Amino acid sequence: MNGIDFEQLCEKIEETKKRGRTLLVGIDGYGGAGKSSLARRLKEALDPVTLVAGDDFWLPGDRRPERARVIAEPGSDYDWERLRDQVILPLSKDEPARYQRYDWGSDALMEWHDVPAGGTVIVEGVFSTREELAPLYDLRVWVETSKAICLERGYERDGDAGRELWDEEWMPAYANYIRLTDPAHRADYIVMGSV
């Protein structure tokens, strides 16, 4: 596990690319750590890159477990099996992927998205490099950011309506995820997300 800056990460991704084959990169970290921002910067700097957001795999409300289970079993509110089956496994075999996006506003699965094989595919989101998925990536990146900054960013993004979720569910679940599974230890590279 190595701490590196953005330019070094770009170099490592370029070095790892497999000619004609899909390179799978997982970016994990606390909510509000800067995973999406890092993924967008990588997409601008490297070519070709396809982004897949972990938030597109949140479970609809009728399938989502209660708060106590979400905290006790971090990631149980995300459909990581659908992410694995619809995106990661096909791409790991250099086959195109297709997934249905979860829509937060309507709390339902919506339109389908195609992900071409080849190039670099970045899957970014909390729990994206969980133990069951980590071995399927070519590179795993952990975005290290203090809890205080993550919480501040979460409040700013989601406003007062999301404050209870951040305080009572998401931050305790993220802390438990780190305590129970140590995802930073699985990372090939650590990038600071507080800059």
Side-chain angles (χ1 to χ4, degrees), residues 135-184:
L136 301 172
Y137 291 104
D138 297 299
L139 289 176
R140 289 151 297 279
V141 178
W142 178 260
V143 180
E144 183 66 35
T145 308
S146 74
K147 289 187 238 180
I149 290 174
C150 292
L151 199 54
E152 181 181 317
R153 289 174 179 171
Y155 291 162
E156 185 178 317
R157 184 188 70 197
D158 297 330
D160 288 337
R163 215 171 249 277
E164 181 187 342
L165 270 173
W166 278 98
D167 291 341
E168 304 299 325
E169 186 172 322
W170 291 344
M171 291 304 278
Y174 301 154
N176 218 16
Y177 174 55
I178 291 166
R179 185 181 65 76
L180 293 172
T181 72
D182 194 11

mmCIF file of all heavy atoms in Angstrom, residues 135-184:
data_model
loop_
_atom_site.group_PDB
_atom_site.id
_atom_site.type_symbol
_atom_site.label_atom_id
_atom_site.label_comp_id
_atom_site.label_asym_id
_atom_site.label_seq_id
_atom_site.Cartn_x
_atom_site.Cartn_y
_atom_site.Cartn_z
ATOM 1 N N PRO A 135 -10.517 -8.710 -5.304
ATOM 2 C CA PRO A 135 -9.639 -9.498 -6.172
ATOM 3 C C PRO A 135 -9.955 -9.361 -7.666
ATOM 4 O O PRO A 135 -9.136 -9.727 -8.501
ATOM 5 C CB PRO A 135 -9.882 -10.945 -5.719
ATOM 6 C CG PRO A 135 -10.538 -10.852 -4.397
ATOM 7 C CD PRO A 135 -11.267 -9.550 -4.373
ATOM 8 N N LEU A 136 -11.138 -8.828 -7.993
ATOM 9 C CA LEU A 136 -11.541 -8.731 -9.395
ATOM 10 C C LEU A 136 -10.980 -7.490 -10.091
ATOM 11 O O LEU A 136 -11.044 -7.381 -11.319
ATOM 12 C CB LEU A 136 -13.066 -8.741 -9.501
ATOM 13 C CG LEU A 136 -13.742 -9.983 -8.919
ATOM 14 C CD1 LEU A 136 -15.250 -9.812 -8.904
ATOM 15 C CD2 LEU A 136 -13.342 -11.221 -9.708
ATOM 16 N N TYR A 137 -10.436 -6.552 -9.330
ATOM 17 C CA TYR A 137 -9.862 -5.331 -9.902
ATOM 18 C C TYR A 137 -8.392 -5.543 -10.244
ATOM 19 O O TYR A 137 -7.683 -6.296 -9.576
ATOM 20 C CB TYR A 137 -9.960 -4.173 -8.908
ATOM 21 C CG TYR A 137 -11.357 -3.683 -8.655
ATOM 22 C CD1 TYR A 137 -12.017 -4.008 -7.477
ATOM 23 C CD2 TYR A 137 -12.024 -2.890 -9.585
ATOM 24 C CE1 TYR A 137 -13.301 -3.555 -7.225
ATOM 25 C CE2 TYR A 137 -13.309 -2.436 -9.343
ATOM 26 C CZ TYR A 137 -13.944 -2.773 -8.165
ATOM 27 O OH TYR A 137 -15.218 -2.327 -7.921
ATOM 28 N N ASP A 138 -7.935 -4.808 -11.246
ATOM 29 C CA ASP A 138 -6.508 -4.786 -11.561
ATOM 30 C C ASP A 138 -5.771 -3.837 -10.617
ATOM 31 O O ASP A 138 -4.635 -4.102 -10.240
ATOM 32 C CB ASP A 138 -6.296 -4.342 -13.015
ATOM 33 C CG ASP A 138 -6.930 -5.323 -13.988
ATOM 34 O OD1 ASP A 138 -6.518 -6.497 -13.992
ATOM 35 O OD2 ASP A 138 -7.846 -4.921 -14.729
ATOM 36 N N LEU A 139 -6.435 -2.730 -10.244
ATOM 37 C CA LEU A 139 -5.878 -1.770 -9.295
ATOM 38 C C LEU A 139 -6.958 -1.333 -8.314
ATOM 39 O O LEU A 139 -8.097 -1.093 -8.713
ATOM 40 C CB LEU A 139 -5.351 -0.522 -10.013
ATOM 41 C CG LEU A 139 -4.091 -0.660 -10.848
ATOM 42 C CD1 LEU A 139 -3.791 0.651 -11.556
ATOM 43 C CD2 LEU A 139 -2.908 -1.076 -9.994
ATOM 44 N N ARG A 140 -6.567 -1.197 -7.051
ATOM 45 C CA ARG A 140 -7.467 -0.731 -6.008
ATOM 46 C C ARG A 140 -6.873 0.543 -5.414
ATOM 47 O O ARG A 140 -5.695 0.557 -5.043
ATOM 48 C CB ARG A 140 -7.629 -1.800 -4.923
ATOM 49 C CG ARG A 140 -8.434 -3.003 -5.394
ATOM 50 C CD ARG A 140 -8.042 -4.270 -4.673
ATOM 51 N NE ARG A 140 -6.668 -4.667 -4.924
ATOM 52 C CZ ARG A 140 -6.251 -5.323 -6.015
ATOM 53 N NH1 ARG A 140 -7.096 -5.651 -6.952
ATOM 54 N NH2 ARG A 140 -4.981 -5.634 -6.178
ATOM 55 N N VAL A 141 -7.707 1.590 -5.320
ATOM 56 C CA VAL A 141 -7.259 2.879 -4.803
ATOM 57 C C VAL A 141 -8.127 3.237 -3.599
ATOM 58 O O VAL A 141 -9.360 3.123 -3.663
ATOM 59 C CB VAL A 141 -7.377 3.983 -5.880
ATOM 60 C CG1 VAL A 141 -6.954 5.341 -5.310
ATOM 61 C CG2 VAL A 141 -6.558 3.626 -7.114
ATOM 62 N N TRP A 142 -7.493 3.680 -2.539
ATOM 63 C CA TRP A 142 -8.201 4.175 -1.361
ATOM 64 C C TRP A 142 -7.992 5.679 -1.295
ATOM 65 O O TRP A 142 -6.856 6.158 -1.399
ATOM 66 C CB TRP A 142 -7.678 3.512 -0.087
ATOM 67 C CG TRP A 142 -8.343 4.037 1.141
ATOM 68 C CD1 TRP A 142 -7.838 4.967 2.011
ATOM 69 C CD2 TRP A 142 -9.634 3.698 1.634
ATOM 70 N NE1 TRP A 142 -8.745 5.209 3.019
ATOM 71 C CE2 TRP A 142 -9.858 4.437 2.813
ATOM 72 C CE3 TRP A 142 -10.628 2.823 1.197
ATOM 73 C CZ2 TRP A 142 -11.027 4.341 3.554
ATOM 74 C CZ3 TRP A 142 -11.796 2.716 1.936
ATOM 75 C CH2 TRP A 142 -11.987 3.467 3.103
ATOM 76 N N VAL A 143 -9.080 6.438 -1.149
ATOM 77 C CA VAL A 143 -8.987 7.886 -0.992
ATOM 78 C C VAL A 143 -9.068 8.186 0.498
ATOM 79 O O VAL A 143 -10.098 7.945 1.135
ATOM 80 C CB VAL A 143 -10.104 8.617 -1.774
ATOM 81 C CG1 VAL A 143 -9.971 10.125 -1.588
ATOM 82 C CG2 VAL A 143 -10.044 8.255 -3.258
ATOM 83 N N GLU A 144 -7.972 8.669 1.043
ATOM 84 C CA GLU A 144 -7.861 8.940 2.483
ATOM 85 C C GLU A 144 -8.239 10.385 2.761
ATOM 86 O O GLU A 144 -7.599 11.319 2.263
ATOM 87 C CB GLU A 144 -6.425 8.679 2.953
ATOM 88 C CG GLU A 144 -6.220 8.863 4.427
ATOM 89 C CD GLU A 144 -6.969 7.849 5.264
ATOM 90 O OE1 GLU A 144 -7.107 6.685 4.847
ATOM 91 O OE2 GLU A 144 -7.416 8.231 6.362
ATOM 92 N N THR A 145 -9.278 10.570 3.556
ATOM 93 C CA THR A 145 -9.768 11.898 3.910
ATOM 94 C C THR A 145 -10.301 11.821 5.339
ATOM 95 O O THR A 145 -10.913 10.827 5.716
ATOM 96 C CB THR A 145 -10.911 12.330 2.953
ATOM 97 O OG1 THR A 145 -10.461 12.165 1.613
ATOM 98 C CG2 THR A 145 -11.311 13.770 3.170
ATOM 99 N N SER A 146 -10.085 12.868 6.107
ATOM 100 C CA SER A 146 -10.541 12.852 7.495
ATOM 101 C C SER A 146 -12.066 12.768 7.550
ATOM 102 O O SER A 146 -12.771 13.252 6.656
ATOM 103 C CB SER A 146 -10.070 14.107 8.236
ATOM 104 O OG SER A 146 -10.831 15.233 7.833
ATOM 105 N N LYS A 147 -12.554 12.162 8.624
ATOM 106 C CA LYS A 147 -14.010 12.062 8.818
ATOM 107 C C LYS A 147 -14.658 13.432 8.857
ATOM 108 O O LYS A 147 -15.750 13.625 8.334
ATOM 109 C CB LYS A 147 -14.317 11.295 10.109
ATOM 110 C CG LYS A 147 -14.006 9.832 10.031
ATOM 111 C CD LYS A 147 -14.510 9.134 11.284
ATOM 112 C CE LYS A 147 -13.369 8.453 11.976
ATOM 113 N NZ LYS A 147 -13.744 7.763 13.190
ATOM 114 N N ALA A 148 -13.991 14.395 9.467
ATOM 115 C CA ALA A 148 -14.562 15.745 9.581
ATOM 116 C C ALA A 148 -14.785 16.367 8.206
ATOM 117 O O ALA A 148 -15.841 16.961 7.947
ATOM 118 C CB ALA A 148 -13.653 16.626 10.425
ATOM 119 N N ILE A 149 -13.814 16.235 7.318
ATOM 120 C CA ILE A 149 -13.959 16.792 5.967
ATOM 121 C C ILE A 149 -15.053 16.046 5.209
ATOM 122 O O ILE A 149 -15.878 16.656 4.518
ATOM 123 C CB ILE A 149 -12.623 16.744 5.209
ATOM 124 C CG1 ILE A 149 -11.653 17.758 5.813
ATOM 125 C CG2 ILE A 149 -12.824 17.023 3.724
ATOM 126 C CD1 ILE A 149 -10.250 17.704 5.247
ATOM 127 N N CYS A 150 -15.083 14.727 5.336
ATOM 128 C CA CYS A 150 -16.126 13.936 4.657
ATOM 129 C C CYS A 150 -17.518 14.376 5.103
ATOM 130 O O CYS A 150 -18.416 14.553 4.284
ATOM 131 C CB CYS A 150 -15.938 12.449 4.947
ATOM 132 S SG CYS A 150 -14.465 11.731 4.202
ATOM 133 N N LEU A 151 -17.677 14.543 6.402
ATOM 134 C CA LEU A 151 -18.968 14.941 6.948
ATOM 135 C C LEU A 151 -19.352 16.345 6.474
ATOM 136 O O LEU A 151 -20.497 16.584 6.072
ATOM 137 C CB LEU A 151 -18.923 14.880 8.474
ATOM 138 C CG LEU A 151 -20.245 14.829 9.212
ATOM 139 C CD1 LEU A 151 -21.129 13.702 8.718
ATOM 140 C CD2 LEU A 151 -19.996 14.675 10.711
ATOM 141 N N GLU A 152 -18.406 17.248 6.475
ATOM 142 C CA GLU A 152 -18.657 18.612 5.994
ATOM 143 C C GLU A 152 -19.107 18.585 4.525
ATOM 144 O O GLU A 152 -20.064 19.261 4.152
ATOM 145 C CB GLU A 152 -17.379 19.436 6.146
ATOM 146 C CG GLU A 152 -17.501 20.879 5.714
ATOM 147 C CD GLU A 152 -16.173 21.598 5.878
ATOM 148 O OE1 GLU A 152 -15.495 21.406 6.915
ATOM 149 O OE2 GLU A 152 -15.813 22.352 4.949
ATOM 150 N N ARG A 153 -18.426 17.803 3.708
ATOM 151 C CA ARG A 153 -18.794 17.690 2.299
ATOM 152 C C ARG A 153 -20.173 17.054 2.137
ATOM 153 O O ARG A 153 -20.950 17.447 1.269
ATOM 154 C CB ARG A 153 -17.756 16.859 1.546
ATOM 155 C CG ARG A 153 -16.431 17.555 1.373
ATOM 156 C CD ARG A 153 -15.423 16.616 0.750
ATOM 157 N NE ARG A 153 -14.139 17.255 0.542
ATOM 158 C CZ ARG A 153 -13.037 16.599 0.172
ATOM 159 N NH1 ARG A 153 -13.071 15.291 -0.032
ATOM 160 N NH2 ARG A 153 -11.905 17.246 0.004
ATOM 161 N N GLY A 154 -20.466 16.060 2.965
ATOM 162 C CA GLY A 154 -21.775 15.410 2.899
ATOM 163 C C GLY A 154 -22.902 16.362 3.237
ATOM 164 O O GLY A 154 -23.928 16.402 2.559
ATOM 165 N N TYR A 155 -22.716 17.143 4.291
ATOM 166 C CA TYR A 155 -23.725 18.144 4.666
ATOM 167 C C TYR A 155 -23.915 19.159 3.544
ATOM 168 O O TYR A 155 -25.041 19.538 3.219
ATOM 169 C CB TYR A 155 -23.296 18.902 5.926
ATOM 170 C CG TYR A 155 -23.298 18.117 7.213
ATOM 171 C CD1 TYR A 155 -22.580 18.584 8.307
ATOM 172 C CD2 TYR A 155 -24.017 16.935 7.363
ATOM 173 C CE1 TYR A 155 -22.573 17.903 9.510
ATOM 174 C CE2 TYR A 155 -24.006 16.252 8.555
ATOM 175 C CZ TYR A 155 -23.286 16.723 9.632
ATOM 176 O OH TYR A 155 -23.283 16.052 10.826
ATOM 177 N N GLU A 156 -22.816 19.589 2.965
ATOM 178 C CA GLU A 156 -22.893 20.584 1.894
ATOM 179 C C GLU A 156 -23.636 20.020 0.684
ATOM 180 O O GLU A 156 -24.464 20.682 0.078
ATOM 181 C CB GLU A 156 -21.482 21.023 1.494
ATOM 182 C CG GLU A 156 -21.462 22.136 0.476
ATOM 183 C CD GLU A 156 -20.046 22.567 0.150
ATOM 184 O OE1 GLU A 156 -19.219 22.701 1.094
ATOM 185 O OE2 GLU A 156 -19.763 22.767 -1.045
ATOM 186 N N ARG A 157 -23.341 18.788 0.337
ATOM 187 C CA ARG A 157 -23.962 18.169 -0.838
ATOM 188 C C ARG A 157 -25.440 17.867 -0.618
ATOM 189 O O ARG A 157 -26.270 18.128 -1.486
ATOM 190 C CB ARG A 157 -23.223 16.876 -1.204
ATOM 191 C CG ARG A 157 -23.764 16.226 -2.476
ATOM 192 C CD ARG A 157 -23.165 14.872 -2.734
ATOM 193 N NE ARG A 157 -23.658 13.918 -1.758
ATOM 194 C CZ ARG A 157 -23.099 12.754 -1.506
ATOM 195 N NH1 ARG A 157 -22.010 12.393 -2.131
ATOM 196 N NH2 ARG A 157 -23.620 11.941 -0.615
ATOM 197 N N ASP A 158 -25.784 17.308 0.552
ATOM 198 C CA ASP A 158 -27.139 16.808 0.767
ATOM 199 C C ASP A 158 -28.021 17.730 1.598
ATOM 200 O O ASP A 158 -29.207 17.455 1.763
ATOM 201 C CB ASP A 158 -27.084 15.422 1.429
ATOM 202 C CG ASP A 158 -26.398 14.403 0.528
ATOM 203 O OD1 ASP A 158 -26.477 14.551 -0.708
ATOM 204 O OD2 ASP A 158 -25.779 13.465 1.053
ATOM 205 N N GLY A 159 -27.449 18.789 2.146
ATOM 206 C CA GLY A 159 -28.233 19.749 2.909
ATOM 207 C C GLY A 159 -28.782 19.166 4.201
ATOM 208 O O GLY A 159 -28.436 18.063 4.625
ATOM 209 N N ASP A 160 -29.678 19.927 4.822
ATOM 210 C CA ASP A 160 -30.255 19.514 6.096
ATOM 211 C C ASP A 160 -31.039 18.216 5.986
ATOM 212 O O ASP A 160 -31.109 17.445 6.935
ATOM 213 C CB ASP A 160 -31.156 20.623 6.662
ATOM 214 C CG ASP A 160 -30.349 21.805 7.177
ATOM 215 O OD1 ASP A 160 -29.154 21.607 7.502
ATOM 216 O OD2 ASP A 160 -30.906 22.909 7.257
ATOM 217 N N ALA A 161 -31.624 17.961 4.823
ATOM 218 C CA ALA A 161 -32.422 16.748 4.634
ATOM 219 C C ALA A 161 -31.579 15.483 4.807
ATOM 220 O O ALA A 161 -32.088 14.446 5.243
ATOM 221 C CB ALA A 161 -33.080 16.758 3.258
ATOM 222 N N GLY A 162 -30.293 15.560 4.491
ATOM 223 C CA GLY A 162 -29.441 14.382 4.584
ATOM 224 C C GLY A 162 -28.636 14.269 5.858
ATOM 225 O O GLY A 162 -27.934 13.285 6.076
ATOM 226 N N ARG A 163 -28.764 15.266 6.738
ATOM 227 C CA ARG A 163 -27.953 15.303 7.952
ATOM 228 C C ARG A 163 -28.132 14.064 8.828
ATOM 229 O O ARG A 163 -27.160 13.487 9.316
ATOM 230 C CB ARG A 163 -28.302 16.560 8.744
ATOM 231 C CG ARG A 163 -27.154 17.176 9.459
ATOM 232 C CD ARG A 163 -27.573 18.531 10.030
ATOM 233 N NE ARG A 163 -26.932 19.622 9.352
ATOM 234 C CZ ARG A 163 -25.714 20.057 9.644
ATOM 235 N NH1 ARG A 163 -25.019 19.476 10.598
ATOM 236 N NH2 ARG A 163 -25.190 21.059 9.006
ATOM 237 N N GLU A 164 -29.373 13.659 9.031
ATOM 238 C CA GLU A 164 -29.623 12.484 9.888
ATOM 239 C C GLU A 164 -28.986 11.230 9.291
ATOM 240 O O GLU A 164 -28.382 10.437 10.018
ATOM 241 C CB GLU A 164 -31.120 12.265 10.088
ATOM 242 C CG GLU A 164 -31.402 11.077 10.988
ATOM 243 C CD GLU A 164 -32.876 10.708 11.078
ATOM 244 O OE1 GLU A 164 -33.735 11.539 10.738
ATOM 245 O OE2 GLU A 164 -33.151 9.566 11.484
ATOM 246 N N LEU A 165 -29.116 11.045 7.976
ATOM 247 C CA LEU A 165 -28.494 9.880 7.329
ATOM 248 C C LEU A 165 -26.985 9.890 7.536
ATOM 249 O O LEU A 165 -26.392 8.853 7.858
ATOM 250 C CB LEU A 165 -28.803 9.858 5.833
ATOM 251 C CG LEU A 165 -30.058 9.112 5.410
ATOM 252 C CD1 LEU A 165 -30.326 9.322 3.935
ATOM 253 C CD2 LEU A 165 -29.952 7.637 5.741
ATOM 254 N N TRP A 166 -26.360 11.040 7.334
ATOM 255 C CA TRP A 166 -24.915 11.128 7.511
ATOM 256 C C TRP A 166 -24.524 10.823 8.960
ATOM 257 O O TRP A 166 -23.595 10.038 9.200
ATOM 258 C CB TRP A 166 -24.407 12.524 7.109
ATOM 259 C CG TRP A 166 -24.223 12.648 5.632
ATOM 260 C CD1 TRP A 166 -25.083 13.192 4.725
ATOM 261 C CD2 TRP A 166 -23.104 12.190 4.866
ATOM 262 N NE1 TRP A 166 -24.575 13.104 3.457
ATOM 263 C CE2 TRP A 166 -23.354 12.502 3.513
ATOM 264 C CE3 TRP A 166 -21.910 11.561 5.191
ATOM 265 C CZ2 TRP A 166 -22.456 12.196 2.487
ATOM 266 C CZ3 TRP A 166 -21.012 11.253 4.168
ATOM 267 C CH2 TRP A 166 -21.291 11.572 2.844
ATOM 268 N N ASP A 167 -25.228 11.435 9.917
ATOM 269 C CA ASP A 167 -24.863 11.285 11.328
ATOM 270 C C ASP A 167 -25.200 9.921 11.905
ATOM 271 O O ASP A 167 -24.386 9.324 12.615
ATOM 272 C CB ASP A 167 -25.571 12.351 12.174
ATOM 273 C CG ASP A 167 -25.053 13.748 11.909
ATOM 274 O OD1 ASP A 167 -23.935 13.898 11.374
ATOM 275 O OD2 ASP A 167 -25.779 14.705 12.247
ATOM 276 N N GLU A 168 -26.394 9.448 11.605
ATOM 277 C CA GLU A 168 -26.919 8.266 12.285
ATOM 278 C C GLU A 168 -26.711 6.952 11.537
ATOM 279 O O GLU A 168 -26.818 5.884 12.130
ATOM 280 C CB GLU A 168 -28.422 8.442 12.553
ATOM 281 C CG GLU A 168 -28.768 9.693 13.351
ATOM 282 C CD GLU A 168 -28.137 9.701 14.730
ATOM 283 O OE1 GLU A 168 -28.012 8.622 15.340
ATOM 284 O OE2 GLU A 168 -27.759 10.794 15.194
ATOM 285 N N GLU A 169 -26.421 7.020 10.229
ATOM 286 C CA GLU A 169 -26.301 5.779 9.460
ATOM 287 C C GLU A 169 -24.997 5.694 8.678
ATOM 288 O O GLU A 169 -24.197 4.787 8.892
ATOM 289 C CB GLU A 169 -27.494 5.648 8.509
ATOM 290 C CG GLU A 169 -27.549 4.327 7.772
ATOM 291 C CD GLU A 169 -28.845 4.155 7.000
ATOM 292 O OE1 GLU A 169 -29.916 4.559 7.494
ATOM 293 O OE2 GLU A 169 -28.774 3.604 5.893
ATOM 294 N N TRP A 170 -24.793 6.628 7.764
ATOM 295 C CA TRP A 170 -23.679 6.486 6.843
ATOM 296 C C TRP A 170 -22.319 6.555 7.517
ATOM 297 O O TRP A 170 -21.476 5.668 7.304
ATOM 298 C CB TRP A 170 -23.779 7.503 5.711
ATOM 299 C CG TRP A 170 -24.926 7.230 4.776
ATOM 300 C CD1 TRP A 170 -25.644 6.071 4.664
ATOM 301 C CD2 TRP A 170 -25.505 8.133 3.846
ATOM 302 N NE1 TRP A 170 -26.621 6.204 3.718
ATOM 303 C CE2 TRP A 170 -26.566 7.457 3.197
ATOM 304 C CE3 TRP A 170 -25.241 9.455 3.502
ATOM 305 C CZ2 TRP A 170 -27.340 8.046 2.223
ATOM 306 C CZ3 TRP A 170 -26.014 10.049 2.519
ATOM 307 C CH2 TRP A 170 -27.050 9.352 1.887
ATOM 308 N N MET A 171 -22.056 7.567 8.331
ATOM 309 C CA MET A 171 -20.742 7.668 8.969
ATOM 310 C C MET A 171 -20.469 6.497 9.916
ATOM 311 O O MET A 171 -19.370 5.935 9.887
ATOM 312 C CB MET A 171 -20.567 9.016 9.668
ATOM 313 C CG MET A 171 -20.456 10.194 8.702
ATOM 314 S SD MET A 171 -19.135 10.035 7.472
ATOM 315 C CE MET A 171 -17.738 10.589 8.422
ATOM 316 N N PRO A 172 -21.441 6.069 10.743
ATOM 317 C CA PRO A 172 -21.185 4.873 11.561
ATOM 318 C C PRO A 172 -20.932 3.624 10.708
ATOM 319 O O PRO A 172 -20.075 2.805 11.044
ATOM 320 C CB PRO A 172 -22.459 4.720 12.396
ATOM 321 C CG PRO A 172 -23.027 6.109 12.476
ATOM 322 C CD PRO A 172 -22.701 6.733 11.147
ATOM 323 N N ALA A 173 -21.657 3.484 9.591
ATOM 324 C CA ALA A 173 -21.446 2.322 8.717
ATOM 325 C C ALA A 173 -20.063 2.375 8.076
ATOM 326 O O ALA A 173 -19.368 1.353 7.993
ATOM 327 C CB ALA A 173 -22.534 2.248 7.651
ATOM 328 N N TYR A 174 -19.643 3.563 7.617
ATOM 329 C CA TYR A 174 -18.316 3.683 7.002
ATOM 330 C C TYR A 174 -17.232 3.363 8.020
ATOM 331 O O TYR A 174 -16.259 2.661 7.706
ATOM 332 C CB TYR A 174 -18.084 5.093 6.459
ATOM 333 C CG TYR A 174 -19.077 5.564 5.423
ATOM 334 C CD1 TYR A 174 -19.314 6.922 5.249
ATOM 335 C CD2 TYR A 174 -19.786 4.672 4.621
ATOM 336 C CE1 TYR A 174 -20.220 7.377 4.307
ATOM 337 C CE2 TYR A 174 -20.695 5.119 3.682
ATOM 338 C CZ TYR A 174 -20.914 6.474 3.526
ATOM 339 O OH TYR A 174 -21.811 6.929 2.598
ATOM 340 N N ALA A 175 -17.385 3.888 9.242
ATOM 341 C CA ALA A 175 -16.395 3.622 10.285
ATOM 342 C C ALA A 175 -16.321 2.124 10.595
ATOM 343 O O ALA A 175 -15.228 1.572 10.780
ATOM 344 C CB ALA A 175 -16.731 4.409 11.552
ATOM 345 N N ASN A 176 -17.458 1.466 10.604
ATOM 346 C CA ASN A 176 -17.483 0.027 10.861
ATOM 347 C C ASN A 176 -16.856 -0.747 9.703
ATOM 348 O O ASN A 176 -16.165 -1.749 9.910
ATOM 349 C CB ASN A 176 -18.926 -0.431 11.110
ATOM 350 C CG ASN A 176 -19.003 -1.490 12.174
ATOM 351 O OD1 ASN A 176 -18.069 -1.696 12.942
ATOM 352 N ND2 ASN A 176 -20.129 -2.174 12.210
ATOM 353 N N TYR A 177 -17.098 -0.303 8.486
ATOM 354 C CA TYR A 177 -16.486 -0.913 7.289
ATOM 355 C C TYR A 177 -14.966 -0.887 7.407
ATOM 356 O O TYR A 177 -14.294 -1.899 7.176
ATOM 357 C CB TYR A 177 -16.959 -0.137 6.067
ATOM 358 C CG TYR A 177 -16.342 -0.498 4.737
ATOM 359 C CD1 TYR A 177 -16.354 -1.798 4.248
ATOM 360 C CD2 TYR A 177 -15.773 0.498 3.937
ATOM 361 C CE1 TYR A 177 -15.824 -2.110 3.006
ATOM 362 C CE2 TYR A 177 -15.253 0.205 2.692
ATOM 363 C CZ TYR A 177 -15.268 -1.105 2.229
ATOM 364 O OH TYR A 177 -14.744 -1.394 0.988
ATOM 365 N N ILE A 178 -14.443 0.243 7.813
ATOM 366 C CA ILE A 178 -12.988 0.373 7.952
ATOM 367 C C ILE A 178 -12.489 -0.487 9.109
ATOM 368 O O ILE A 178 -11.499 -1.213 8.976
ATOM 369 C CB ILE A 178 -12.607 1.855 8.136
ATOM 370 C CG1 ILE A 178 -12.873 2.601 6.818
ATOM 371 C CG2 ILE A 178 -11.158 2.002 8.587
ATOM 372 C CD1 ILE A 178 -12.853 4.093 6.943
ATOM 373 N N ARG A 179 -13.194 -0.447 10.227
ATOM 374 C CA ARG A 179 -12.783 -1.228 11.402
ATOM 375 C C ARG A 179 -12.821 -2.735 11.134
ATOM 376 O O ARG A 179 -11.906 -3.462 11.490
ATOM 377 C CB ARG A 179 -13.685 -0.887 12.592
ATOM 378 C CG ARG A 179 -13.265 -1.562 13.900
ATOM 379 C CD ARG A 179 -14.222 -1.209 15.037
ATOM 380 N NE ARG A 179 -15.556 -1.706 14.837
ATOM 381 C CZ ARG A 179 -15.943 -2.978 15.004
ATOM 382 N NH1 ARG A 179 -15.076 -3.878 15.371
ATOM 383 N NH2 ARG A 179 -17.202 -3.332 14.815
ATOM 384 N N LEU A 180 -13.876 -3.190 10.460
ATOM 385 C CA LEU A 180 -14.063 -4.627 10.252
ATOM 386 C C LEU A 180 -13.252 -5.201 9.088
ATOM 387 O O LEU A 180 -12.845 -6.360 9.137
ATOM 388 C CB LEU A 180 -15.546 -4.937 10.022
ATOM 389 C CG LEU A 180 -16.478 -4.717 11.203
ATOM 390 C CD1 LEU A 180 -17.931 -4.875 10.777
ATOM 391 C CD2 LEU A 180 -16.143 -5.688 12.329
ATOM 392 N N THR A 181 -13.049 -4.405 8.030
ATOM 393 C CA THR A 181 -12.451 -4.988 6.827
ATOM 394 C C THR A 181 -11.161 -4.320 6.358
ATOM 395 O O THR A 181 -10.513 -4.842 5.452
ATOM 396 C CB THR A 181 -13.451 -4.982 5.656
ATOM 397 O OG1 THR A 181 -13.632 -3.645 5.179
ATOM 398 C CG2 THR A 181 -14.787 -5.582 6.058
ATOM 399 N N ASP A 182 -10.815 -3.165 6.907
ATOM 400 C CA ASP A 182 -9.574 -2.468 6.574
ATOM 401 C C ASP A 182 -9.349 -2.350 5.061
ATOM 402 O O ASP A 182 -8.357 -2.852 4.533
ATOM 403 C CB ASP A 182 -8.391 -3.169 7.236
ATOM 404 C CG ASP A 182 -7.132 -2.323 7.215
ATOM 405 O OD1 ASP A 182 -7.204 -1.120 6.884
ATOM 406 O OD2 ASP A 182 -6.054 -2.874 7.515
ATOM 407 N N PRO A 183 -10.270 -1.677 4.351
ATOM 408 C CA PRO A 183 -10.137 -1.585 2.897
ATOM 409 C C PRO A 183 -8.884 -0.849 2.436
ATOM 410 O O PRO A 183 -8.371 -1.139 1.355
ATOM 411 C CB PRO A 183 -11.405 -0.842 2.460
ATOM 412 C CG PRO A 183 -11.879 -0.136 3.681
ATOM 413 C CD PRO A 183 -11.441 -0.963 4.841
ATOM 414 N N ALA A 184 -8.350 0.057 3.227
ATOM 415 C CA ALA A 184 -7.113 0.740 2.837
ATOM 416 C C ALA A 184 -5.963 -0.248 2.723
ATOM 417 O O ALA A 184 -5.073 -0.091 1.884
ATOM 418 C CB ALA A 184 -6.775 1.844 3.837
#
